[in-house]
Every structure is written in C-alpha cells, then in structure tokens.
Amino acid sequence: MAIIQSLKDAVADNLNNGDVVAFEGFTHLIPHAAAHEAIRQGYRDLTLVRMTPDIVYDQMIGMGMAKKLIFSYAGNPGVGLLRRLRDAVENNWPNPVEIEEHSHAAMANAYEAGAAGLPCAVFRGYKGAGLKEVNSNIRSVVCPFTGEELAAVPSVRPDVTFIHAQKANRKGDVLIEGIVGIQKEAVLAAKKSVVTVEEIVDDFDDVHANACILPGWAVSAICEVPGGAHPSYAHGYYIRDNGAYLDWDKIATDREGFRNWMEQHVLNQTPEVFASRVSSLLEAGK
C-alpha cells in the first residue's frame, strides 16, 4: 500500500546505486522533479529506461548517473538532439554510456511483458529494420502454432519506476488524465514505484471509479509536488514551457555552461523551491 511522504525521503527509500530505473512520461506528466531529486542525491551506475528520453535524461547522463540507456527515441522534442547524451556516447564524458535502442512498439511491449511477469515480449515488428543488426537483444522466434516469424525482446522490469500524475487520494490511488503513455505498465512492471502528483485529495469527486489508473496497492510512495512535471505539462494544471526546451539546446551545448546551470537550477534547489519557481513562471505566463 502506498505511503505518503516527501519526495526527498521517497527517492532515498526506493532508489539505489546500480538500479534499473524508469522515469516515465509521454509528452506530458514527465517526472522532472523526481529526477532532479535523484540528481541531488547523487546516484550512480543507473540503467535508465524510457520510451522517449528527453532533456531530463540528458541532465542525468550529463551528471554522470547513467551507465546504460534502454530507449526507443532520444531527443529534445521539437528542437533536436540531446547534446549531453551525444557527448557521453561519442566522447565518454563524463563517463561512457551503453545504449540499447528499440522501436516504440518494442518498448511498449517490453513494459507490458514486465507487468505480466513474463521474461520477454513477442510481437510483430523489426522486419526490414536495421536496429536488430546493432542490438543483440532484438531476436526472432517462430510461433509454434502458425510458423510465423516474430520479433522478441527482453521484458522491462525496473527496480523502481517514477511517474508524475494529477491527483492521488489519501488511500494511495492515482488518477492520470489526458494522454496516457506507458506509465501504468511501467509502474506495474517495477518492484517499487514512486508517484509525484500535483495534489493529494480526499477523494476523486465526480470521477468514475474506472478512471483510477493505478490502485494504491501498486504504488510504493506518493509525493505531493505541485509543478513536478515542469517544463513538460500537466493536463488541467499548466501548459508546456516550450521556451525551456529551446533554452536547453543552448545550455547543454557547452560542458561548463551545463554544469553551471545544473548547480543553479537543480543541485541548489529543494523540491519546495522548485514548486515555488514553477508557480511564479506559470503566473507570469498567464
């Protein structure tokens, strides 16, 4: 059953050096605040998993936290490449990073297989694709019933998954509204999970029971972190901060500039300061 605690305590209680960890979100509800707390606590040798790693994974890689990345697309959405990821892959700075690239379909199926407790995912895909030539974890199996050749990849079963959502109630149930990517499966596939939310409420008034995406028994910890998805958006709460994504391309270009920005905006900020800063930005943008 989920417990309600501070983000600092939830990260410390659930994440360990060397873990396989997913910070999942698709277009919106990306758990930036949770990732920033992990950065502040200085974890190392992580295998970072995500369908669409963007600037928050660029930050984690640039801070030397990652030893491997399992993903299906990596980029600064609408802008271009991830400069810290590229520097790590091409120049081993600040440390080498192994990459395991998949298609979106493969990652989604791998999470679903993990949630079902299966060792691998089997699906139609990768026919004619070059990825299997550079990724030894993309293999083929033959259906014992039809003889059809199918693709197979290992299931994804994180040690811990972090996601962001709009609401949780005091029983620990989580309500996600708007676009839902693979967050539900990523939580169900994980040994432990932490959910940051915009607010904790007594109950989900006027919401059908079937709209509760995650029951409390599937969640390890709930943390109330308003603005916890910024600069991505939270449907019904705030819009996407497009300027932050454009700015990141310049910030991440230079190693020293990157480190200075991280010192100012992540390492020296608490979740409370983060929420206050985001609130000010949102008020200024109205």
Side-chain angles (χ1 to χ4, degrees):
M1 183 63 68
I3 63 172
I4 297 173
Q5 58 183 158
S6 71
L7 179 57
K8 182 178 181 179
D9 289 344
V11 172
D13 288 349
N14 291 283
L15 185 60
N16 296 288
N17 291 327
D19 274 355
V20 176
V21 55
F23 291 82
E24 270 296 348
F26 191 80
T27 304
H28 77 145
L29 298 176
I30 298 169
H32 281 262
H36 286 176
E37 182 56 39
I39 292 171
R40 283 189 290 272
Q41 294 190 23
Y43 291 95
R44 291 292 183 269
D45 297 322
L46 300 176
T47 296
L48 299 177
V49 186
R50 191 170 155 205
M51 279 189 66
T52 54
D54 57 6
I55 66 174
V56 75
Y57 270 33
D58 211 28
Q59 293 167 7
M60 299 177 81
I61 291 166
M63 294 302 291
M65 301 175 70
K67 70 176 181 181
K68 183 176 181 178
L69 184 65
I70 301 174
F71 67 105
S72 56
Y73 162 85
N76 184 344
V79 180
L81 54 81
L82 293 178
R83 298 187 183 275
R84 294 299 93 222
L85 170 59
R86 183 167 185 170
D87 202 8
V89 171
E90 293 184 348
N91 304 309
N92 296 331
W93 192 92
N95 54 264
V97 174
E98 180 185 352
I99 60 172
E100 182 179 324
E101 185 175 1
H102 290 279
S103 66
H104 281 341
M107 287 296 294
N109 277 278
Y111 272 126
E112 289 187 347
L118 297 172
C120 68
V122 177
F123 60 102
R124 290 188 177 95
Y126 286 125
K127 293 191 176 180
L131 273 178
K132 59 185 178 181
E133 305 303 324
V134 296
N135 183 350
S136 61
N137 275 336
I138 299 171
R139 305 186 188 181
S140 298
V141 296
V142 175
C143 175
F145 302 104
T146 66
E148 181 183 3
E149 183 178 312
L150 300 168
V153 297
S155 62
V156 171
R157 305 192 73 179
D159 293 301
V160 56
T161 289
F162 292 85
I163 67 168
H164 187 74
Q166 282 93 346
K167 295 178 182 179
N169 63 26
R170 301 198 181 278
K171 295 183 292 184
D173 303 322
V174 175
L175 176 67
I176 305 176
E177 297 179 298
I179 297 172
V180 177
I182 203 71
Q183 294 100 309
K184 177 178 68 174
E185 291 79 3
V187 167
L188 294 176
K191 298 173 185 175
K192 297 178 288 185
S193 57
V194 176
V195 182
T196 57
V197 294
E198 293 296 320
E199 59 179 326
I200 295 174
V201 297
D202 290 329
D203 206 348
F204 303 139
D205 295 335
D206 301 322
V207 175
H208 193 278
N210 286 343
C212 175
I213 300 297
L214 289 168
W217 58 260
V219 178
S220 303
I222 300 288
C223 312
E224 190 172 46
V225 187
H230 181 269
S232 74
Y233 73 96
H235 178 80
Y237 287 80
Y238 45 88
I239 63 173
R240 187 177 188 268
D241 184 353
N242 290 314
Y245 289 86
L246 294 170
D247 290 344
W248 183 252
D249 192 54
K250 303 180 184 69
I251 293 163
T253 300
D254 175 74
R255 292 175 182 176
E256 183 178 357
F258 160 76
R259 289 290 309 197
N260 290 339
W261 190 93
M262 293 298 291
E263 286 281 349
Q264 180 180 355
H265 296 282
V266 178
L267 295 179
N268 294 326
Q269 287 200 24
T270 65
E272 292 76 20
V273 172
F274 171 87
S276 177
R277 181 172 63 86
V278 170
S279 179
S280 298
L281 286 170
L282 297 176
E283 284 297 322
K286 288 183 178 179

